[in-house]
Amino acid sequence: MAISLDGLSSGLDTTSLITQLMTVAAQPQTLLKGQVSTTNSELSAFQGLNSRLATLADAATAAAKPSSLDLYSATSSSTGLAVTVATGASAGELQVVVSALAQSQIGVSAAMAAWPSPSTITIVGHSGTPLEITPASNSLDDVVSAINGSTAGVSAIKVASGFDGSGNQLYRIQFSSTTTGADSAFSVYQGTASDVAAGTATNVLTAPGSAVIRTAQDASIKLFAGTTAEQVITSSTNTFTDLLPGVTVTASAVSAVPVAISVARDDKKISDVASGLVASVNSAFVLIAAQTAVSTSTDANGVTTTRAGVFAGDSTIRDIRQKTLDAVGLPINGHSPSEYGISVDRTGTVTFDSDKFAAALAADPTTTMAAIQTVATRLAASSTAASDKYDGTLTNRITGDQTQLKSLGDQISAWDTRLAIRKSTLERTFSQMEVMLSNLKAQSAALSSQLSSLSTSTTTG
């Protein structure tokens, strides 16, 4: 509970006096809080730069890998054949004829109101292995549910199919393989696996009134069609991998004439790798510049204050920036990176000239890509040295700031306790002073009263 001491005996503004004394006593803690604010600003700046350098390190490390610039794109002469490329692709051309598309099997039973007895169903897949399924009842809903809950690789659905002579609703069960390809073919029997083996089970899809709507088949394409080297390749799906190294094709339509597949080096993707490295470097440099700049502010009283950025004068930051500049700007086998479109201007900004890079790539792709990988290797080394999560120079600075913040926090907490004790002591002291003053005033009043009485008695006598 707060103690109000103002004006009890002395008439002093005791609360104000205590507040002023506590302000003086709290100055060491105030300085510590200022250090916390400064260290937090520094920590935030270091973490921001560390994050950007880590991003640069990841991009540079990826670009430095031997096959990182083996980038290709593929085209197809038909919209019915999509082509994609992956790692390991190389330039080349191939013509294919899409003979067939992969499809699943679909069949329907004869129209019925309920599944005939016995209710046991046996589905035999392409492998010839029978799978018995026993529904909860002869209800078509139970039959559908049992099939869909099995591991037969077949789905079932009940389809309305008119009425019988008595007006009862009839249904067909449509059976569909859940995958495509010739291996997805199946047969459905009414009866047990033993009945199937004995030849006494009813084949549901060949019984009167039933039908196989679509047969299971593989997709197939022809290579070198019409020649003595003609070759047929099949797939259970419509996708064919590695027709050419690193090339995948997916068919969506058959073709009467050969479809041309072309794979060529993708200069745009290679250029994007180089420009991405430059963009990551500049992202780090922009942050360094912003945290180094001197700012000027004016307070409400018109007082102007000049403040240097967190990175100003920091030797660690200067070293990181210089090593990054060296990575992108130093010669490569006697040639300036500017020959490949990477330049450093007078302000230390790195620029990328895509036209110059494209010309160099067209003229000498091997040397140009090797130069980019050299830059990437150097950037990976410098940025990793700064941002490595275990022993990076920035990581160590961040760890140091975090340790300092913990120490400052502990000191501030200790001062909270110390100041609370100091305030309690001041309040007791002033309270006791007021009590003493009150007692002195009471004694003074009593003495004055006694003296007044003595003076009156003497006069009367």
Side-chain angles (χ1 to χ4, degrees):
M1 180 181 295
I3 301 173
S4 177
L5 305 172
D6 295 339
L8 290 177
S9 297
S10 65
L12 296 174
D13 186 353
T14 308
T15 300
S16 178
L17 285 173
I18 292 175
T19 298
Q20 293 176 39
L21 290 170
M22 288 303 301
T23 299
V24 174
Q27 284 182 353
Q29 187 189 53
T30 301
L31 292 174
L32 290 173
K33 290 179 177 178
Q35 290 181 43
V36 168
S37 178
T38 300
T39 304
N40 269 323
S41 297
E42 182 178 283
L43 177 61
S44 177
F46 281 138
Q47 287 175 329
L49 180 58
N50 194 63
S51 176
R52 297 194 187 191
L53 287 174
T55 299
L56 172 59
D58 289 342
T61 299
K65 292 179 180 178
S67 61
S68 65
L69 298 182
D70 290 339
L71 302 174
Y72 294 85
S73 60
T75 58
S76 167
S77 63
S78 170
T79 57
L81 191 67
V83 187
T84 58
V85 294
T87 302
S90 58
E93 184 175 342
L94 185 67
Q95 291 191 336
V96 303
V97 174
V98 181
S99 305
L101 296 179
Q103 61 187 30
S104 59
Q105 177 180 326
I106 299 176
V108 293
S109 69
M112 61 184 73
W115 190 260
S117 295
S119 62
T120 302
I121 301 161
T122 299
I123 296 180
V124 180
H126 182 268
S127 66
T129 302
L131 176 69
E132 284 189 9
I133 301 172
T134 303
S137 72
N138 288 68
S139 159
L140 295 181
D141 288 330
D142 284 344
V143 170
V144 167
S145 179
I147 292 172
N148 289 334
S150 75
T151 59
V154 176
S155 65
I157 187 171
K158 186 175 73 172
V159 181
S161 187
F163 298 87
D164 62 14
S166 302
N168 297 314
Q169 176 73 59
L170 299 178
Y171 296 92
R172 296 178 187 270
I173 295 182
Q174 177 177 296
F175 303 89
S176 306
S177 54
T178 56
T179 58
T180 59
D183 286 350
S184 69
F186 62 90
S187 297
V188 181
Y189 294 92
Q190 178 201 348
T192 65
S194 298
D195 295 334
V196 174
T200 58
T202 300
N203 189 326
V204 174
L205 299 183
T206 60
S210 66
V212 174
I213 307 301
R214 188 172 70 195
T215 58
Q217 72 177 25
D218 287 335
S220 65
I221 57 174
K222 291 180 183 178
L223 305 181
F224 322 116
T227 72
T228 56
E230 181 175 291
Q231 179 181 357
V232 177
I233 298 178
T234 61
S235 171
S236 61
T237 68
N238 290 319
T239 297
F240 299 82
T241 59
D242 291 333
L243 291 181
L244 292 173
V247 177
T248 297
V249 300
T250 301
S252 59
V254 296
S255 58
V257 296
V259 178
I261 300 170
S262 298
V263 182
R265 189 184 69 225
D266 194 326
D267 290 356
K268 175 65 169 57
K269 288 182 180 178
I270 297 172
S271 179
D272 287 345
V273 171
S275 64
L277 291 175
V278 171
S280 291
V281 169
N282 283 328
S283 174
F285 283 1
V286 166
L287 180 58
I288 290 173
Q291 294 292 353
T292 304
V294 175
S295 60
T296 302
S297 60
T298 303
D299 62 19
N301 299 318
V303 178
T304 300
T305 303
T306 300
R307 183 177 181 180
V310 173
F311 291 162
D314 192 300
S315 60
T316 299
I317 300 301
R318 285 199 306 270
D319 182 61
I320 289 172
R321 191 177 190 282
Q322 187 57 54
K323 286 180 178 178
T324 306
L325 276 175
D326 290 345
V328 295
L330 289 179
I332 303 166
N333 296 325
H335 294 270
S336 169
S338 62
E339 296 179 30
Y340 311 107
I342 299 176
S343 304
V344 181
D345 64 19
R346 292 180 305 173
T347 65
T349 301
V350 185
T351 60
F352 180 74
D353 187 330
S354 58
D355 292 335
K356 197 168 185 178
F357 178 81
L361 188 61
D364 188 349
T366 301
T367 302
T368 301
M369 288 191 287
I372 295 304
Q373 290 195 305
T374 297
V375 170
T377 300
R378 297 191 306 207
L379 281 173
S382 63
S383 53
T384 298
S387 64
D388 184 81
K389 62 181 179 180
Y390 297 111
D391 58 3
T393 51
L394 279 178
T395 304
N396 291 334
R397 290 291 296 271
I398 290 169
T399 301
D401 280 348
Q402 290 170 334
T403 300
Q404 184 179 6
L405 283 172
K406 184 180 184 306
S407 175
L408 289 171
D410 292 342
Q411 293 178 61
I412 289 171
S413 295
W415 267 101
D416 284 339
T417 302
R418 191 180 306 172
L419 290 172
I421 293 172
R422 176 60 176 161
K423 185 176 182 181
S424 177
T425 299
L426 287 172
E427 288 175 342
R428 276 200 314 273
T429 300
F430 277 96
S431 177
Q432 291 169 0
M433 181 191 72
E434 291 293 337
V435 171
M436 291 175 63
L437 284 174
S438 177
N439 291 336
L440 288 173
K441 283 184 177 182
Q443 292 175 13
S444 176
L447 288 173
S448 294
S449 176
Q450 291 176 11
L451 289 173
S452 176
S453 297
L454 289 173
S455 175
T456 301
S457 299
T458 303
T459 303
T460 303

